[in-house]
Amino acid sequence: MTDAYDGPWLVVGLGNPGEGYARNRHNIGFMVADLLAGRMGARFKTHKSRAQVAEGRIGGKRVVLAKPMTFMNLSGGPTTALRDFYKVPTAGIVAVHDELDIDYATLRLKLGGGDNGHNGLKSITKSLGPDYHRVRCGIGRPPGRMEVADFVLKDFSSTERKELEWFVDRAADAVEAVVTEGLERAQSTYNS
């Protein structure tokens, strides 16, 4: 995918639907998608793909934001349906997700790769193959012997919440940079 790609881009924020999950670590992808929609002046609407969708432009390029409503582990179905509906090449897809193996509030951007045990990515990769962009939002590892599933489904701690707005804002900036500047330039700015 070169910088000349004009879109449409499909940006998929990963998370779980429902108020009970809204502030969980696992829902940072939804948080970033919501912020991007606000920046674009777009509203999320229900789409037949079993996702909430908002359309707009980033840097003049057409962007479709999506929040799958199937729960994290089944994100691949809605993502594939949206790819087909909007005719987006796989390399024009950006998944925004939480990442356990990266320190909290740290970002890593990449194209392709494994799922690292992340069930949302596993579902998308099973449907699309691995060659899509990822904006990986570090949440760190669970403390002590806490189970990973319990950790990702808990809200951010009070200490983490002090940086959360900044972190979500920076992740949204990173998505915009991937779309407008290309992956390499975005990586040089945001891979900390």
Side-chain angles (χ1 to χ4, degrees):
M1 185 66 51
T2 67
D3 297 347
Y5 178 67
D6 283 330
W9 285 83
L10 174 59
V11 177
V12 183
L14 297 185
N16 287 310
E19 190 53 39
Y21 296 103
R23 286 164 285 290
N24 289 180
R25 290 180 180 93
H26 224 17
N27 271 41
I28 195 158
F30 277 17
M31 295 173 198
V32 173
D34 287 338
L35 179 59
L36 286 166
R39 289 180 180 182
M40 294 186 333
R43 287 182 163 320
F44 280 98
K45 297 180 176 109
T46 301
H47 190 273
K48 65 183 180 182
S49 63
R50 297 174 300 156
Q52 294 284 314
V53 171
E55 297 181 54
R57 294 198 171 273
I58 294 175
K61 296 186 180 186
R62 184 170 170 227
V63 174
V64 178
L65 301 173
K67 298 189 295 185
M69 294 286 115
T70 52
F71 289 93
M72 181 69 79
N73 298 359
L74 301 173
S75 300
T79 302
T80 302
L82 289 167
R83 175 201 65 186
D84 295 347
F85 183 83
Y86 289 101
K87 298 177 177 42
V88 179
T90 303
I93 297 172
V94 181
V96 184
H97 62 91
D98 58 304
E99 180 66 59
L100 287 163
D101 289 333
I102 301 175
D103 291 339
Y104 177 68
T106 300
L107 294 172
R108 294 277 189 277
L109 284 56
K110 71 177 192 172
L111 175 65
D115 57 55
N116 208 21
H118 192 290
N119 289 328
L121 293 180
K122 197 174 292 183
S123 177
I124 292 173
T125 298
K126 185 177 178 186
S127 296
L128 302 179
D131 298 325
Y132 53 92
H133 292 85
R134 296 106 188 273
V135 173
R136 304 160 68 210
C137 303
I139 60 169
R141 300 292 304 177
R145 295 176 181 230
M146 182 186 289
E147 291 290 325
V148 166
D150 294 334
F151 180 69
V152 299
L153 294 176
K154 284 197 179 316
D155 289 357
F156 287 99
S157 70
S158 57
T159 303
E160 290 169 332
R161 282 195 300 271
K162 292 175 185 168
E163 281 188 271
L164 185 59
E165 188 176 332
W166 170 84
F167 184 29
V168 170
D169 193 61
R170 186 165 166 79
D173 291 347
V175 171
E176 290 180 344
V178 169
V179 169
T180 61
E181 300 172 22
L183 180 63
E184 284 186 24
R185 288 188 66 186
Q187 285 174 319
S188 69
T189 303
Y190 294 98
N191 279 6
S192 31

